[in-house]
Each structure stands twice: as structure tokens, then as C-alpha cells.
Amino acid sequence: MKRGISYTQAFLTLLQRDLKIAIRHRGDIFNPLLFFVLVVTLFPLGIGPEPQVLSRVAPGIIWVAALLASMLSLERLFKADFNDGSLEQMLLSPQPLPILVLSKVLAHWILTGVPLILVAPLLAVLLHLESNSYTALILTLTVGTPVLSLLGAIGVALTVGLRKGGVLLSLLILPLYIPVLIFATSAIDAAGLNLPYTGQLAIIGAMLVGSLIMAPFAIGASLRVSTN
Amino acid sequence: MWKWLHSYADPERAYKLASTLLPWFAFSAILFISVGTIWGMLFAPMDYQQGESFRIIYIHVPSASMSMAAYMAMASASFVGIVWQIKTADWVAASIAPIGAVITFIALLTGAAWGKPMWGTWWVWDARLTSELVLLFLYLGVISLYASFEDKVLAARAAGILAIVGVINIPIIKYSVDWWSSLHQPATIKITEKSAMPMEMLAPLLINIFGFGLMIGAITLVRYKAEILARNGMRPWVRELAKAEASK
Amino acid sequence: MIQFESLSEFLNMGGYAFYVWLSYGVTFGSLGILLFLSLRQKRSVLLEISKKMEREDRLKETRSSR
């Protein structure tokens, strides 16, 4: 039997396809980003405009908003493919499922994680973040948002077949997000005090490596359950 | 070597085994918990630092440590169920989840009631308390995921994957007190070294921890039997039982 | 050896009565509720199955009489 295209080719083809689809539906990229910006701008209105207060809570606000935005966008990760049946085609394809899943998650991160990282410094200016925290903010977002996409994809894969998965999805993935949030904000806080934050960053890095290895298998298994 | 275990993949045999084990678990759980609690409440000497409030330890520590043990038991059962496709193991996991959630809730609440007189606050956002709260969310997630699938075979598999992924949280809870400087006191019981507690205080605590484990086992068996019946409603032996129950 | 000299002293718990009894009350209260619900589960499952059997029987009868 002919195996068809190689693993790398399959990975790249799927990545290209997902990016192309997203570019044709531009709203899917901009809505989570808009949500992120809106949530962050609401906080100064809610807790008052004092720079000291804002700079104290800025890391937390930015990270919580990023987390919610990534959760909002996650719901669409498998939904369209599930509805039009292309997800089942992927499950039936001869390429190993974890590779295909990894490609979809990477596409999702490029479309939602990277814009967040690019906008975050701008919002940090609005929130008067300590000037020496910027590098830490960018670094934690760069290492942390892929973890959010990977862990979140497990939750989405589990709930994609359900009609009312929305609230359930947040219950499933928020507990998994909490460690990332804790270490990321503590790294930014440490940077603001001119303390070393490589420790926290290393832990987030370890989470990234761990989830990069384990999550595709969990996502694949969950998709098989959901599409059954 | 494990061949004898396979026969318990048959629901009827698993049901019979659960029925045989239940009275033993129930009886010894009642025995251990009453001895441990009465000993702890009446006979254990008062802590010179914390006064009588330390007596909360006799339910707080057992429920906290058993909340983690129950999670591990649930995750192991899910693992067996997923890897070897044994449905009776899936049902064990489904039976443990609600019990684990209640035990975790008890651990959190007794911790709060102990923290108020000792630390002056009901709740602090430190590593151990937060991760125990996360454990409660994980239990709730597993329960609601299991409930939201119509097809219970799929439900068990989905909930099982979540339970296995959530195991990462267990070492975080266990070692949070050692890794981060925390308001929560470090572990009172150490297996390898000498414990930080005199024997008269420790003995009832150990008895209660064991008793809580037995109690979780007993309630699991009760729920497990109901779960087996609910999932096997088409089988003749279940219908026989149903007929007997209806005519009662 | 009992650590308390009188019943009222035991109930007072050295001034921590509220916290200690709150903990014990909630623990055994919630365990009691859990146990009660778990014990009832089996009966309700069996009754549901027998109802389903009755329905099936009635369905069979109407089919055979037709």
C-alpha cells in the first residue's frame, strides 16, 4: 500500500490549509484580539486610573485577559472541521493523528497567540507596567501561550461533540491553566523588582515541553472519543 | 499472573464481589473512624501552641490526604479502563468522582475553619490552598463531563482522559508546601523520618486517615453497585433484581 | 485519660468551640448526605429499570393484540 505524503508534508499542508481558511474569515483572528483589548481597557475604568495601582495589577490583568481570549478562540479550533466532516477525514488518514493535531494547534497559536504577544506591550503601556518588566512580559507570553493552546485543545477535543460545551469547556481547562498563570505573573512581578525570573520562566518552559510531548496524544485520543 | 483479575471484567461478578466486600469495608470504616475521632477528640493531649483548635486535624488531614488518594485511584481506574477497554474499571472511576469532590470540599472547609483562629483569615491564596481548590475543580470537571455525554461508554473515556491529564496536579499539591514558602504548615507525618508529632497525638490521626480511606472505599462500593446496575439494564440478572425491587 | 474535666468544657473546646464544631458538623453532615444519596441510588436505578420493563411489556401486548 502506498503511504501517500510524508509526515512533514502532511503537517505543513494542514498548517497551510488552516491559515488559509483563517485569512478568509478574518473575524476569527480579530475577535479574540478585540476581546483581549476590551477586557484590558475595562480594568482602569473599573478600579480607577491611579498609575501605582495599575502598574501593580498590570501583569495579572494582561495574563488573565490573554487566558480568556485564548479560551474564547479555542472553541472554534475543531468546531468547523467537526461540522463539515473534515475532522473525520483527518482521523481516517494514514498519517498519525498527533502530528495532524499538533499542526492544527500550531495554526491556532499563530493566529491567536502571536497577535496577543504583539499587542501586549501596547496594553502594558496603557496599564503603566514597570519599565523593566516588558521583556519578562513578552517572554512569558511567548513561552506560555503555546501551553494554553495545547492544554486548551484537550478540553476542546473532549467537548467538540457536545451541543452545549461552552461552560463545560471553561470548567475543564481553567484548572489546567492556573499553574501557567501563577508562574507567568510571578515572573513578571519578579522582573518588576529587578529580581531574577529565570526560574519561573524555566518552569513555564518545562510545561511547554511537557505539553508539547503529551498533549497531542491526549488531544488525539479525545477526538476519537468525540467523533465516535 | 493477572489472569484471575480478568474475570472481574464481567459486570455480574464485579457486582457480586462488591456486595461481598461492602459489609467488611463499611464495618471497619465505622470502627476506625469512631475510634480515631473519639480518641482524638477526648484523649489526645492538647497542642501547647494551638490549644484545642488543633483537634480539627483529625478530620482535616485525613480528608486532605484522602482527596489526593481518591484522585489517584480514580485516575488509575480510568487508565485501566482506557488501556485495556475494561468497562467495569470505568464504572469504578465514575463512582469515585463524586465522593472525591465531597472529600475535597471537606478538606477545604475544615482548613478554612482551622485557618480562621490560627492565621486570622478564612482563606489565603497560597500554593497549597489554591492547588487543593484546583483539585476540586478537576473533580467537578470529571463529573460534569461524565454527565454530559449520552453514551456512557464514550462519557467514561472522555472523563478518563481528563482525569489522567489532571494527575499533574497531584504532585503540585503534595509538594507545594516544600517548594514555596507558604503559610500552610509542612507535612505532620513523615514516613521515613521521625514525625513532628508525639505518639499520643499521632496514633488517632493515623487511625482516622486509615478510616477515611476505608469509608471512601465503602461509599465507592455502594455507588459502584448502583452504577453497574444502571449500565446493565438490559441484562437478565439485573432485570431479575429490578423485578424483585419493584414487587417489594 | 480524658483531657476534659466536664462536658461543658469539652463543648467549649478551649474557646474554639465554633470552629471545631463547625468543622466536625460540616464533615459528618456532608458525608451523611453523600451516603444517603448513594444508598438511595441503587433503589431508584432498579425502579427505573422495572418501569422500562413494564413499558416494553405493554408495547409487546399492544403489538400482539393488533
Side-chain angles (χ1 to χ4, degrees):
Chain A
M1 202 185 92
K2 214 169 144 267
R3 210 186 57 193
I5 54 178
S6 74
Y7 294 170
T8 334
Q9 242 177 323
F11 183 87
L12 291 176
T13 314
L14 194 56
L15 185 67
Q16 215 175 11
R17 164 186 174 272
D18 271 23
L19 293 179
K20 211 180 269 172
I21 290 177
I23 287 166
R24 288 189 188 151
H25 300 99
R26 251 168 246 126
D28 287 5
I29 312 176
F30 286 108
N31 281 348
L33 199 60
L34 202 61
F35 176 81
F36 179 57
V37 175
L38 283 178
V39 169
V40 170
T41 47
L42 280 180
F43 271 94
L45 306 177
I47 55 179
E50 292 85 6
Q52 295 93 331
V53 180
L54 284 179
S55 70
R56 177 70 198 80
V57 293
I61 293 174
I62 293 176
W63 254 96
V64 169
L67 206 141
L68 292 175
S70 112
M71 210 160 68
L72 188 75
S73 62
L74 268 169
E75 257 193 276
R76 278 194 295 273
L77 179 55
F78 296 119
K79 202 85 199 176
D81 285 351
F82 178 74
N83 287 338
D84 66 13
S86 38
L87 191 62
E88 273 181 60
Q89 293 302 317
M90 272 173 230
L91 295 185
L92 292 173
S93 74
Q95 277 73 30
L97 189 54
I99 288 182
L100 301 180
V101 159
L102 198 60
S103 154
K104 282 197 75 70
V105 174
L106 178 64
H108 174 263
W109 180 71
I110 292 174
L111 293 167
T112 58
V114 174
L116 280 188
I117 299 169
L118 297 178
V119 179
L122 189 68
L123 294 171
V125 174
L126 294 180
L127 290 175
H128 306 279
L129 187 74
E130 305 276 345
S131 54
N132 31 12
S133 299
Y134 278 84
T135 341
L137 175 70
I138 301 296
L139 281 176
T140 53
L141 280 174
T142 314
V143 186
T145 44
V147 183
L148 298 186
S149 292
L150 282 162
L151 292 179
I154 301 176
V156 185
L158 284 172
T159 53
V160 72
L162 303 172
R163 251 168 294 142
K164 36 181 189 189
V167 184
L168 185 59
L169 175 67
S170 36
L171 179 64
L172 298 189
I173 57 183
L174 274 185
L176 304 176
Y177 277 4
I178 287 173
V180 184
L181 178 69
I182 291 175
F183 287 111
T185 48
S186 105
I188 303 173
D189 280 337
L193 300 168
N194 272 328
L195 296 168
Y197 57 89
T198 41
Q200 288 96 323
L201 204 60
I203 291 179
I204 306 176
M207 289 182 196
L208 175 59
V209 174
S211 52
L212 208 55
I213 296 167
M214 314 282 264
F217 293 94
I219 300 166
S222 317
L223 282 178
R224 288 207 193 279
V225 170
S226 291
T227 51
N228 208 331
Chain B
M1 186 171 72
W2 297 98
K3 266 273 147 58
W4 59 272
L5 252 178
H6 292 178
S7 63
Y8 292 105
D10 171 32
E12 193 176 0
R13 290 200 62 173
Y15 184 83
K16 287 210 177 111
L17 178 72
S19 306
T20 331
L21 287 177
L22 181 55
W24 297 97
F25 270 83
F27 178 73
S28 47
I30 292 168
L31 184 75
F32 272 86
I33 291 179
S34 27
V35 168
T37 308
I38 292 170
W39 189 350
M41 288 299 272
L42 287 173
F43 300 97
M46 187 179 80
D47 189 86
Y48 71 97
Q49 270 181 329
Q50 306 201 342
E52 305 290 2
S53 80
F54 104 99
R55 289 184 198 281
I56 296 176
I57 201 175
Y58 294 116
I59 45 178
H60 175 67
V61 170
S63 54
S65 61
M66 282 303 133
S67 67
M68 290 185 265
Y71 193 90
M72 288 313 292
M74 180 178 77
S76 323
S78 301
F79 185 77
V80 171
I82 288 175
V83 173
W84 287 283
Q85 309 276 319
I86 297 173
K87 280 186 207 149
T88 44
D90 285 337
W91 301 329
V92 172
S95 323
I96 297 177
I99 305 165
V102 170
I103 298 284
T104 312
F105 168 74
I106 290 172
L108 283 169
L109 203 128
T110 53
W114 196 4
K116 182 65 186 162
M118 288 304 108
W119 306 334
T121 169
W122 293 99
W123 183 262
V124 283
W125 287 101
D126 86 335
R128 171 153 281 186
L129 279 75
T130 311
S131 50
E132 185 78 12
L133 186 65
V134 170
L135 184 68
L136 180 63
F137 288 152
L138 278 173
Y139 273 122
L140 295 179
V142 170
I143 294 169
S144 42
L145 194 61
Y146 188 73
S148 48
F149 278 85
E150 284 287 321
D151 181 347
K152 289 298 170 196
V153 178
L154 292 182
R157 217 165 296 157
I161 292 171
L162 182 69
I164 292 167
V165 171
V167 169
I168 311 163
N169 193 40
I170 298 295
I172 298 182
I173 303 176
K174 185 88 183 63
Y175 297 106
S176 54
V177 184
D178 307 325
W179 289 346
W180 290 282
S181 62
S182 156
L183 207 51
H184 196 283
Q185 53 188 310
T188 16
I189 307 165
K190 297 185 184 82
I191 295 170
T192 45
E193 309 158 47
K194 201 172 166 296
S195 286
M197 232 183 169
M199 203 53 214
E200 305 90 79
M201 284 179 176
L202 186 63
L205 181 60
L206 292 176
I207 292 175
N208 247 7
I209 291 178
F210 199 63
F212 266 64
L214 288 168
M215 177 197 64
I216 292 173
I219 304 180
T220 304
L221 287 173
V222 172
R223 297 190 76 92
Y224 184 49
K225 285 173 67 178
E227 187 76 27
I228 293 181
L229 294 178
R231 298 284 85 82
N232 293 283
M234 303 303 284
R235 309 239 176 166
W237 66 274
V238 178
R239 304 216 139 180
E240 209 81 343
L241 283 175
K243 228 179 265 170
E245 183 76 30
S247 60
K248 218 189 274 175
Chain C
M1 195 186 65
I2 294 184
Q3 297 289 318
F4 300 94
E5 298 199 337
S6 66
L7 183 67
S8 64
E9 202 182 308
F10 173 63
L11 290 178
N12 188 37
M13 275 288 152
Y16 294 113
F18 174 67
Y19 303 109
V20 174
W21 295 118
L22 174 76
S23 310
Y24 277 83
V26 168
T27 303
F28 289 107
S30 47
L31 285 177
I33 295 170
L34 175 70
L35 191 62
F36 173 72
L37 292 177
S38 306
L39 286 172
R40 229 183 40 178
Q41 213 185 6
K42 182 184 157 190
R43 193 178 152 74
S44 65
V45 164
L46 284 178
L47 287 181
E48 214 167 280
I49 294 172
S50 73
K51 255 185 220 155
K52 202 171 142 198
M53 280 158 60
E54 256 173 51
R55 268 202 304 274
E56 282 169 13
D57 285 346
R58 250 180 293 154
L59 213 66
K60 236 181 261 170
E61 267 172 39
T62 47
R63 268 195 199 139
S64 58
S65 65
R66 236 192 300 175

